[in-house]
Amino acid sequence: MDRHNTRAEQMLVNLGLHWGIESELPGPDQEMTLTLQFDESVTVVLSAEDDDLVVFGRLGEAPTHSKTFLENLLSANLFWRDTQGATLSLEPDTRAVLIAQRLPERDWREVEDLRQAIERFAHVQQSWMAEISDWEHSSDVQNFPTDVGQRV
């Protein structure tokens, strides 16, 4: 059975062409992604998910045993208060902090709309990378309890 390429996949190809990146539509059983490197530290990955696009990136590593850091991360996620619509998360195996945002088709009907959305996302990503870097160098001494019976 032939697989039909989605509008999201076609938009990633068009966006790549806009920035001088040649790519092809995926074949059967392949995923369509586009990776954009804005500078040495900010890398944004776009993935076609059904009829939407998902944009995501790595922010850094969560400080070990920092209750305050994780509280701040959760607070920023509250109704996307400090993320401009993106979601912050923690990858449990690596402690990598990630930022992701689903972009419905109405947000990127034209390449220019998508370009602007990605640039806004990259700006938020860069701001959070700086925030996490500051935490890595802070003297936050509030730790998670090491005894399972204790409560945070």
Side-chain angles (χ1 to χ4, degrees), residues 24-78:
E24 296 179 6
L25 289 168
D29 301 322
Q30 292 180 323
E31 292 183 20
M32 178 70 184
T33 61
L34 181 64
T35 302
L36 303 170
Q37 180 102 24
F38 284 89
D39 61 28
E40 291 180 13
S41 61
V42 178
T43 301
V44 173
V45 180
L46 288 105
S47 176
E49 302 282 334
D50 299 319
D51 292 329
D52 296 337
L53 292 172
V54 175
V55 57
F56 61 94
R58 188 177 192 284
L59 300 175
E61 189 173 313
T64 307
H65 305 299
S66 176
K67 175 183 174 184
T68 304
F69 173 79
L70 293 177
E71 286 176 351
N72 286 348
L73 209 64
L74 286 171
S75 294
N77 269 334
L78 178 65

Side-chain angles (χ1 to χ4, degrees), residues 3 19 68 75 93 95 101 115-116 127:
R3 175 184 175 284
W19 273 323
T68 304
S75 294
D93 295 333
R95 297 196 54 79
Q101 186 170 9
R115 185 194 64 76
Q116 289 175 9
S127 296

Side-chain angles (χ1 to χ4, degrees), residues 98-112:
L98 305 175
I99 187 168
Q101 186 170 9
R102 182 173 287 274
L103 303 173
E105 185 177 351
R106 69 178 176 273
D107 292 347
W108 48 264
R109 295 200 187 274
E110 302 293 329
V111 170
E112 182 59 23

Side-chain angles (χ1 to χ4, degrees), residues 57 59 69 72-77 80 82-83 85-90 97-101 124-125 128 132:
L59 300 175
F69 173 79
N72 286 348
L73 209 64
L74 286 171
S75 294
N77 269 334
W80 310 277
D82 295 328
T83 62
T87 301
L88 301 170
S89 59
L90 181 67
V97 180
L98 305 175
I99 187 168
Q101 186 170 9
V124 172
Q125 180 181 1
W128 274 99
I132 290 171

